[in-house]
Amino acid sequence: MTQRSEIEAPRIYPTMRCRNDEAMIGWLKDVIGFTERVIYRNGDTVQHAELAYGSSLLMLGQCSDDEYGKLVGDINGRRTDALYVAVDDPDALHARVKASGVKIEMELHDTDYGSRNFACRDPEGNLWNFGTYRPKADEKPL
């Protein structure tokens, strides 16, 4: 009988389409600290990439005008999505992100709920929030 892992795999996987997938992958790895899990390419085009951050995965690929791309929407249009990543040392990450030259939207600050956060735009203009707040699905909120 196979034993089930103590840690359940994530159930939500953020995905994004990128204009310059190689540059985005490089920024996520070199600046934020993601690691490459797998990248499937068709020639020079990233069809699908999975980058890991701790036990979480981010999936991304090149913008395209395929059926799924049409569902996702125009990358230049108004978007309401943002990504939040729980980190151990937001001060050190903030310094690396700032040095990478992307736009800091919200400087490092302490929140009313005990987190230390900042927000930035990645090289493609997506909004990222980083902070120490790390809720767990099986814990009741305070």
Side-chain angles (χ1 to χ4, degrees):
M1 183 161 106
T2 305
Q3 285 191 345
R4 195 173 153 178
S5 173
E6 291 286 324
I7 300 172
E8 180 180 58
R11 292 179 183 264
I12 298 174
Y13 298 89
T15 64
M16 47 187 3
R17 295 280 179 111
C18 305
R19 289 180 198 92
N20 186 337
D21 46 6
E22 296 292 352
M24 177 64 93
I25 290 168
W27 184 80
L28 289 167
K29 290 169 54 177
D30 298 342
V31 176
I32 305 302
F34 277 80
T35 57
E36 184 178 310
R37 183 173 180 278
V38 68
I39 297 180
Y40 299 104
R41 290 182 172 83
N42 182 1
D44 291 338
T45 302
V46 172
Q47 297 294 315
H48 177 82
E50 296 175 9
L51 302 176
Y53 191 86
S55 62
S56 299
L57 290 174
L58 171 70
M59 295 189 270
L60 61 87
Q62 183 73 34
C63 286
S64 62
D65 199 21
D66 60 13
E67 280 191 47
Y68 183 72
K70 290 175 185 171
L71 289 173
V72 171
D74 180 4
I75 198 163
N76 296 312
R78 182 178 181 277
R79 298 174 61 168
T80 60
D81 58 326
L83 296 162
Y84 174 81
V85 180
V87 299
D88 294 329
D89 189 349
D91 293 78
L93 180 58
H94 178 266
R96 289 196 312 273
V97 167
K98 200 167 197 170
S100 80
V102 299
K103 183 177 182 184
I104 302 294
E105 293 286 357
M106 188 181 310
E107 284 294 340
L108 223 98
H109 66 283
D110 295 319
T111 68
D112 294 340
Y113 51 91
S115 186
R116 184 148 174 81
N117 291 6
F118 75 93
C120 69
R121 297 279 173 185
D122 66 27
E124 299 260 339
N126 300 299
L127 182 63
W128 290 75
N129 295 280
F130 299 95
T132 55
Y133 179 65
R134 192 172 181 183
K136 294 180 182 158
D138 61 350
E139 287 182 348
K140 295 201 184 283
L142 296 175

